[in-house]
Amino acid sequence: MSAARRLGIFGGAFDPPHHAHVALARAAIEQLQLDELRILPTGLAWHKVQPLSDAAHRLAMTRLAFADLPQVVIDERELCREGPTYTVDTLRELHREHPQDTLVLVIGADQADTFDQWRESDEITRLAIISIADRPRAQAPAGAVDAAHVPGGQWVPIALAPLAVSATDIRERRAAGLGIDHLVPAPVARYIDLHHLYLPA
Ligand code: ATP
């Protein structure tokens, strides 16, 4: 039987992956002493309203973005799932596959704000430790992670210097003909250019 490990789980649309995603992954690995961090590009995320770019593009960019982090494993399971994807299903599967491991779910503060609307959020908190990184956002001051929406109120902070970058902003900048090279890892910028992503239709 294999020894218990600390297995991090970090999901996102990654449309595209950007500097804050990589900084958050790095901080999570170090601060939470993760043996492995599973990065899961989402399939049809139930809470995202805008249509996502092709799964193949998001997967390729995710691989490029996190290539320098040896603890990262890109996990494609949510992309392969039919219909909407739910974190609780992924955690149940990972718990079945790695019953010895401690699961640690990594999210940004904007996700923590609506965590109690996630499917079976109380079950999620039974399956995994919830770890939250602050994220600058319009409706909340920096330094204000509001964990009132985490059932049981148990969570672990991840210290992350505030990075006001979002994938939405990157897509909008690109559509407006503005540069994005300072917001994404260089290989991701090259990929976006090569495949003419996020340009006006
Ligand atoms: P979009 O603008 O399209 O909604 P996004 O930038 O929020 O995208 P996601 O792929 O949805 O990126 O985010 C995946 C995870 O990374 C989420 O848990 C989110 O909270 C976190 N995250 C994204 N950007 C930041 C940031 N700047 N600081 C901290 N956490 C972040």
Side-chain angles (χ1 to χ4, degrees), residues 10-18 20-21 24 47-48 50 52 106-112 118 133-136 160-169 171:
F10 180 36
F14 302 124
D15 192 17
H18 51 64
H21 293 136
L24 177 46
H47 60 299
K48 291 262 175 175
Q50 91 274 9
L52 295 174
V106 174
I107 57 176
D110 57 310
Q111 300 291 317
W118 292 24
D134 192 17
R135 175 176 192 178
L160 184 70
L163 282 163
V165 39
S166 74
T168 303
D169 181 43
R171 293 192 301 271

Side-chain angles (χ1 to χ4, degrees), residues 12-70:
F14 302 124
D15 192 17
H18 51 64
H19 281 324
H21 293 136
V22 181
L24 177 46
R26 204 183 289 277
I29 290 165
E30 283 169 12
Q31 294 171 35
L32 305 169
Q33 280 128 32
L34 301 179
D35 297 289
E36 181 179 317
L37 177 62
R38 290 286 173 114
I39 306 247
L40 294 110
T42 48
L44 252 186
W46 60 273
H47 60 299
K48 291 262 175 175
V49 282
Q50 91 274 9
L52 295 174
S53 302
D54 276 1
H57 284 317
R58 293 186 294 113
L59 177 61
M61 291 190 286
T62 303
R63 288 195 188 289
L64 292 171
F66 297 99
D68 289 342
L69 299 180

Side-chain angles (χ1 to χ4, degrees), residues 139-173:
Q139 69 282 17
V145 170
D146 179 3
H149 301 278
V150 177
Q154 297 291 318
W155 61 288
V156 176
I158 302 171
L160 184 70
L163 282 163
V165 39
S166 74
T168 303
D169 181 43
I170 292 167
R171 293 192 301 271
E172 288 175 358
R173 287 182 66 85

